[in-house]
Amino acid sequence: MSETPKPLILTGAKPSGELTLGNYLGAIKNWAIMLEEYECFFPIVDLHAITVGYVPAELRKHTYQCLAQYIACGLDPQKSHIFLQSQVIGHTELSWILSCLTPVGELHRMTQFKDKSSKPGASVNAGLLFYPVLMAADILLYNADRVPVGEDQKQHLELARNIAQRFNHTYSETFKVPEPYIPRAGARIMSLQDPSRKMSKSDENPGEAILLLDSPQAIRKKILSAVTDSDTEVRMAPEKPGIANLLNIFSAITGRSVEDLEREFGDSGYGTFKNALADALIAHLEPFQERYREIIEDKTFLHGVLKEGAEVAQARAFKTLRKVYRKAGFVERA
Ligand code: ATP
Ligand code: LTN
């Protein structure tokens, strides 16, 4: 008797810099606990990384780093398919077809496009505008059931759902309409210097983001200099966005509730609270960093992971692509 196939999840990160605590708490940490329940596809979306200015050698370095950090965070390559988007034929092909079903106005309305294109000195290329269509292709190429992402990607996912429905309606039922899966704790980690913006790996100011590979000294320094307010009470409140962000991080790292943390640190003063958070972060990241250092040295292992991942992904991608081409009216290759 054949087993019912597991539902499929797919999600990715861009190798556009070093992974941050935001990437970990909002995304990767949650993916690692899905390995048993789901068939998991984790593309590293390197084609997305070139939509903003970049240096080729840095992209290559960040791609290896991202892969090794995925594995060190617990994404077991024996239980998931980790691969590079650029190594699988189909992402860009499908993206073209989907782009012909996407009104340009919808792309102009995407918050991420507006944010990135309005940064001083940004070159607004067509790839940046079409970014969400490529993301929709990543998801639909594998017929993913669920897409676990941080809250910042909700709008892109909604667009991917619309595109899937539009394709199904225009041609015939082809794609599953993917469901977002957004974690409650850690869904949006904010910048340590400007808690109105999300923590991002492409931030210019190094004090804004904790990087997963930061040294204990750097972690403490960044936490101690995180922007707070002129009050002294450690309490979750909308008018205290800096402290709220630190409480959120503390809770996500330790699994303790915010109320519990408020009870312990409410009157202790910001210095004591921040030092306790730095201790917790350093202790949490230490075993991860040790695993990372071993993995990043072993290029043969890393290449093997990518090869296996790409093989499985490619087989599925070709299957979907053939179906899509047929439905879109292209003549099949003899
Ligand atoms: P960039 O700064 O280059 O735009 P990024 O770090 O914002 O990069 P990705 O690497 O593409 O974005 O994100 C990978 C995953 O991490 C996504 O699921 C995204 O939702 C999540 N993520 C990114 N930043 C945060 C954050 N500050 N809080 C929670 N989740 C986040
Ligand atoms: N747009 C996402 C990265 C991304 C992605 C995907 C996430 C590209 N393709 C497919 C989930 C599924 C980001 O900026 N974080």
Side-chain angles (χ1 to χ4, degrees), residues 8 14 63 69 111 122 143 157 175 236 254-255 262-263 291 299:
L8 194 151
K14 295 184 289 279
T63 303
Q69 291 187 50
T111 316
N143 260 312
L157 211 63
F175 293 123
M236 184 64 99
T254 57
E262 284 175 334
R263 229 171 288 129
R291 274 197 305 276
K299 289 287 186 296

Side-chain angles (χ1 to χ4, degrees), residues 73-93:
C73 282
L75 301 187
D76 181 349
Q78 304 279 351
K79 296 182 177 167
S80 60
H81 313 296
I82 307 178
F83 60 99
L84 303 185
Q85 185 189 32
S86 63
Q87 290 187 352
V88 176
I89 299 167
H91 292 253
T92 49
E93 283 77 1

Side-chain angles (χ1 to χ4, degrees), residues 163-311:
I163 293 176
Q165 280 161 343
R166 215 171 283 136
F167 187 99
N168 290 347
H169 184 74
T170 308
Y171 300 106
S172 64
E173 201 61 28
T174 305
F175 293 123
K176 282 188 186 160
V177 179
E179 294 291 336
Y181 181 69
I182 297 173
R184 241 174 310 135
R188 189 177 280 258
I189 303 298
M190 309 312 279
S191 156
L192 298 178
Q193 291 302 312
D194 175 0
S196 67
R197 289 194 301 113
K198 76 161 189 153
M199 183 180 283
S200 188
K201 70 169 107 66
S202 52
D203 281 335
E204 313 265 280
N205 172 356
E208 300 207 52
I210 302 274
L211 305 179
L212 297 184
L213 297 177
D214 270 343
S215 67
Q217 296 82 335
I219 293 174
R220 192 171 305 276
K221 188 163 166 226
K222 287 178 183 180
I223 294 292
L224 289 180
S225 51
V227 165
T228 49
D229 50 59
S230 53
D231 185 33
T232 55
E233 199 187 348
V234 174
R235 181 169 54 88
M236 184 64 99
E239 68 278 13
K240 295 165 75 69
I243 287 294
N245 189 36
L246 296 182
L247 272 168
N248 193 16
I249 294 175
F250 210 149
S251 165
I253 277 286
T254 57
R256 292 175 62 183
S257 70
V258 168
E259 295 73 35
D260 187 28
L261 294 167
E262 284 175 334
R263 229 171 288 129
E264 179 172 349
F265 296 103
D267 305 322
S268 70
Y270 289 172
T272 307
F273 170 64
K274 283 176 162 180
N275 269 308
L277 171 56
D279 290 342
L281 269 173
I282 292 165
H284 192 85
L285 290 179
E286 192 186 83
F288 156 80
Q289 295 186 349
E290 218 163 278
R291 274 197 305 276
Y292 169 82
R293 281 192 287 270
E294 279 168 27
I295 297 167
I296 194 70
E297 291 305 319
D298 194 348
K299 289 287 186 296
T300 313
F301 166 69
L302 293 177
H303 288 143
V305 169
L306 291 179
K307 184 165 182 279
E308 258 176 56
E311 276 166 9

Side-chain angles (χ1 to χ4, degrees), residues 121-137:
S123 76
V124 185
N125 59 65
L128 189 62
L129 182 67
F130 277 62
Y131 178 114
V133 184
L134 181 58
M135 175 165 163

